Amino acid sequence: YLDEKVSIKGYTEVEKISDSFNHLLTRLQTLENSRQEFVSNVSHELKTPITSIKVLAESLLAQEDAPAELYREFMEDITEEIERENKIINDLLSLVKLDKKSGELNISSVNINELLEQILKRLRPIAAKRNIELVFESFRPVEAEVDEVKLSLAINNLIENAIKYNYDDGWVRVSLNADHKFFYVKVADSGVGIPEELQESIFERFYRVDKARSRETGGTGLGLSITRSAVLMHRGAIKVYSKEKEGATFTIRIPLNYIA
Ligand code: ADP
């Protein structure tokens, strides 16, 4: 009887180990798949502007005695593609920095009201071009321990998107609130919205609901993954509420005091 018990017990232990081993293998496989997908996406994204530049330059070179205006037009297009390449590289660098351990955060006490005012000041001219109203509502003064540069980047992306994916003459409302533990930044817009089934995917690297629209507005598909990484590094949370064609609301929640 004792022998039997030992062997049953032994078997269960082996089973347990084998289960966790399989679990680990599956997890490694998932990580490896997403790494491969990321590398292939990066290559593709970096190649696209280069291909355009090549086509533009070659077709210009193929024309004998091309008039000056044509040169100008092509050079403008080439410059645009170079700017695009630059933006992708900069976004990738931000993402790489954010992917490092949270020890890399440069924490200081920051006046969040002022930080938001600064971001809005920078984005106002862009919103004004399409007659989009940009409103800031602060329910209380907030001082918090954050990495100012990374948090700015995170919030900037949200407001930039709220403008980019909006209709002309629309609105964007940014609000700031806090309780005893967290502060909350809410960015609501009157734009095109996001279909419910895609609301998780938009945080993935390079994911765009509408590739053409994102490209037109200089998007790289990295903005929201940068935002999410920055928020998570602060031990915060991000959520989205949206209905297609009825605008979107992104809310981030960040602890007032940094928890190492
Ligand atoms: P992008 O550089 O394309 O803007 P993001 O990572 O910032 O990349 O966003 C991913 C996608 O999520 C966008 O391409 C867009 O389709 C969608 N999206 C993000 N913010 C909004 C918003 N406020 N309203 C509607 N769609 C949005």
Side-chain angles (χ1 to χ4, degrees), residues 85-230:
E85 185 83 10
N86 225 345
K87 177 133 201 325
I88 300 172
I89 293 171
N90 283 336
D91 277 1
L92 277 170
L93 287 175
S94 302
L95 204 59
V96 169
K97 271 193 211 149
L98 286 163
D99 272 350
K100 290 197 184 144
K101 291 277 164 283
S102 52
E104 309 270 326
L105 282 182
N106 189 6
I107 299 289
S108 65
S109 185
V110 175
N111 180 327
I112 306 294
N113 299 66
E114 269 175 25
L115 182 129
L116 287 173
E117 297 276 10
Q118 273 171 18
I119 297 175
L120 288 166
K121 194 174 160 197
R122 222 173 31 233
L123 294 177
R124 238 179 214 112
I126 301 173
K129 272 190 200 155
R130 291 173 48 220
N131 199 29
I132 293 170
E133 188 191 13
L134 202 51
V135 190
F136 177 40
E137 197 176 13
S138 167
F139 291 97
R140 51 186 290 180
V142 176
E143 187 94 15
E145 290 171 10
V146 295
D147 182 317
E148 188 166 6
V149 175
K150 294 194 174 82
L151 187 72
S152 271
L153 195 63
I155 298 173
N156 189 74
N157 286 344
L158 291 183
I159 306 177
E160 235 176 42
N161 280 347
I163 299 170
K164 271 184 353 193
Y165 302 103
N166 216 321
Y167 301 109
D168 289 354
D169 311 315
W171 51 260
V172 175
R173 291 203 185 97
V174 180
S175 62
L176 172 65
N177 209 343
D179 52 31
H180 62 293
K181 258 186 152 168
F182 302 100
F183 69 92
Y184 305 83
V185 179
K186 194 154 115 181
V187 180
D189 68 59
S190 59
V192 299
I194 305 146
E196 189 156 359
E197 66 277 15
L198 304 179
Q199 286 173 13
E200 271 189 36
S201 314
I202 54 171
F203 294 98
E204 285 165 22
R205 295 152 171 180
F206 295 116
Y207 188 89
R208 294 105 156 188
V209 175
D210 177 349
K211 274 213 165 200
R213 188 178 180 122
S214 160
R215 197 182 149 79
E216 235 172 70
T217 50
T220 61
L222 293 172
L224 283 180
S225 19
I226 291 174
T227 297
R228 186 175 62 175
S229 294

